[in-house]
Amino acid sequence: MSQEHSMSTHWRPSASIDALKARSRIITQLRSFFNQRKILEVDTPLMCAAGTTDVYLDSMVITSSKNSDDDIRYLQTSPEFCMKRLLTAGIGDCYQICKAFRRDEIGKYHNPEFTLLEWYRINCDHHQLMDEMDALLQYILKSQPAKRISYRDLFLEYLGIDPHKLSIKQLIKVDPDVCKALNPLTDTKDDYLMLLLSQHIEPTLGLDRPCFIYDYPASQAALSKIRDKKYAERFEVYIHGVELANGFHELQQANEQLRRFQEDNKKRKILNKPTVQIDYALINALEHGLPNCAGVALGVDRLIMIALEKEKLSDVLSFSADNC
């Protein structure tokens, strides 16, 4: 062994031992929060035959065969699909703390492998789930009660525009320099809205207390219900300018969910992204009858980072992607 190799400190954890001990305490607190509410902890596979079709997420793909096109499996970007199958089977209110994986996501607030908390409440909508999310944040972070604002009112407050009414050309005029990063021939209105949100609004959200944004455009519904053909019944939570969680009043219609998955794959082709195997087991579960419910996924690493007042995700990870 060379002297240079023997003197290397690359073996050390990314986070301090004190931070890792605090991380363990916070995860214990999370479980205590759900146990007090008699919400069942469940465990689902991290490797499945189908993955997410979401255009903005990329699954990690693995194979157990020498032939890369044979027996493909996807590391899950969240446990959502399997948990919904459990809900359909009658498991009731449930939660899970698990690893999740997203390809090419690495940076200050991202790691390709991360810890996710996901939970579902039966006979609950997204507003009721916001109540519980707010209670969780107050329990863990000792935060003040959250601010709540609709997506429309957020854009009106910060940029003076109604995001539901403006065209791409009108959105470009809001900030031509920022919008140069996109192409109006291939990028969608939602791409422009997300860009303006990330550049002009997100950094100021949740600086003194958590901020919930709800009633997104129907075009950003993902796996949520749509109200009045205009509003997606979903929310996001921000603290200190960081997106922490994403919640939905869950879609129950199998045909509509299948249509959205198929549309996602069409968009992926246009963007030269690989299409993803649709989870027909989830579609079959929806056909059987997913109960009325709301669910939310929360980034545990980000929550711990905020709780410990750290600057980056690697400060609360035992070993970040560039250290293992």
Side-chain angles (χ1 to χ4, degrees):
M1 182 182 293
S2 69
Q3 183 178 7
E4 180 182 358
H5 188 106
S6 64
M7 295 294 287
S8 171
T9 59
H10 185 68
W11 61 270
R12 293 187 179 278
S14 302
S16 70
I17 296 301
D18 284 344
L20 294 177
K21 289 180 177 179
R23 176 189 179 95
S24 178
R25 290 193 294 270
I26 291 171
I27 291 176
T28 298
Q29 286 180 302
L30 288 172
R31 286 194 164 95
S32 175
F33 179 88
F34 292 106
N35 289 341
Q36 290 171 21
R37 287 161 175 75
K38 302 187 186 309
I39 301 175
L40 182 70
E41 183 171 11
V42 298
D43 181 27
T44 60
L46 296 179
M47 183 176 66
C48 297
T52 180
T53 58
D54 192 318
V55 176
Y56 300 102
L57 298 177
D58 290 308
S59 302
M60 292 185 183
V61 180
I62 61 174
T63 178
S64 60
S65 169
K66 291 182 180 179
N67 182 351
S68 61
D69 294 326
D70 183 40
D71 198 22
I72 286 177
R73 292 292 183 269
Y74 298 86
L75 293 179
Q76 297 301 286
T77 58
S78 93
E80 178 172 5
F81 295 172
C82 283
M83 290 185 76
K84 285 183 174 177
R85 289 165 64 184
L86 289 178
L87 290 166
T88 301
I91 199 76
D93 296 333
C94 60
Y95 81 98
Q96 182 168 185
I97 298 174
C98 66
K99 293 296 184 181
F101 303 85
R102 295 179 185 178
R103 187 164 59 83
D104 299 330
E105 291 199 4
I106 187 166
K108 186 176 182 180
Y109 301 136
H110 297 86
N111 199 64
E113 177 185 345
F114 59 100
T115 302
L116 196 65
L117 161 65
E118 189 147 336
W119 82 92
Y120 292 85
R121 284 293 218 165
I122 305 297
N123 294 322
C124 179
D125 65 16
H126 56 306
H127 288 286
Q128 291 168 304
L129 195 56
M130 278 190 271
D131 293 339
E132 189 161 65
M133 169 64 78
D134 198 3
L136 175 66
L137 295 178
Q138 292 180 50
Y139 181 71
I140 299 296
L141 301 177
K142 311 304 179 189
S143 58
Q144 295 297 312
K147 173 182 177 179
R148 301 188 191 188
I149 186 169
S150 71
Y151 189 88
R152 176 181 180 273
D153 288 344
L154 185 75
F155 275 81
L156 285 171
E157 178 179 323
Y158 283 86
L159 297 176
I161 62 172
D162 186 334
H164 300 292
K165 294 182 178 180
L166 269 61
S167 65
I168 288 179
K169 287 184 178 180
Q170 291 170 315
L171 290 172
I172 291 173
K173 292 179 181 179
V174 175
D175 191 334
D177 290 334
V178 165
C179 290
K180 285 179 182 177
L182 297 177
N183 184 342
L185 297 179
T186 56
D187 292 305
T188 67
K189 177 180 174 179
D190 287 322
D191 292 317
Y192 282 89
L193 288 172
M194 285 187 277
L195 181 62
L196 291 173
L197 178 68
S198 66
Q199 296 299 309
H200 287 281
I201 303 175
E202 280 185 355
T204 69
L205 296 177
L207 298 184
D208 58 344
R209 55 179 174 147
C211 180
F212 289 77
I213 304 171
Y214 63 92
D215 280 358
Y216 280 70
S219 53
Q220 298 181 32
L223 281 77
S224 71
K225 294 183 177 183
I226 294 174
R227 187 180 73 257
D228 300 331
K229 299 182 179 180
K230 188 174 182 180
Y231 302 108
E233 295 197 330
R234 52 171 291 223
F235 66 87
E236 292 187 5
V237 186
Y238 287 84
I239 301 179
H240 299 166
V242 178
E243 180 193 340
L244 186 63
N246 198 352
F248 303 103
H249 190 192
E250 302 293 348
L251 180 67
Q252 295 171 274
Q253 287 72 37
N255 289 342
E256 173 60 15
Q257 188 61 79
L258 178 59
R259 185 195 68 79
R260 292 186 196 179
F261 285 160
Q262 292 169 338
E263 285 298 314
D264 283 346
N265 269 334
K266 289 179 183 177
K267 292 176 184 176
R268 294 183 73 87
K269 284 184 178 180
I270 293 172
L271 296 171
N272 292 318
K273 286 189 169 189
T275 58
V276 177
Q277 175 60 46
I278 289 173
D279 193 332
Y280 284 98
L282 172 63
I283 300 302
N284 291 339
L286 295 180
E287 288 178 343
H288 183 82
L290 177 72
N292 177 44
C293 63
V296 61
L298 180 150
V300 173
D301 306 315
R302 291 186 181 185
L303 177 69
I304 295 170
M305 182 188 74
I306 292 167
L308 302 185
E309 299 181 344
K310 299 296 185 180
E311 293 296 321
K312 55 188 185 299
L313 219 60
S314 59
D315 291 334
V316 299
L317 299 176
S318 57
F319 299 99
S320 59
D322 58 0
N323 193 25
C324 60

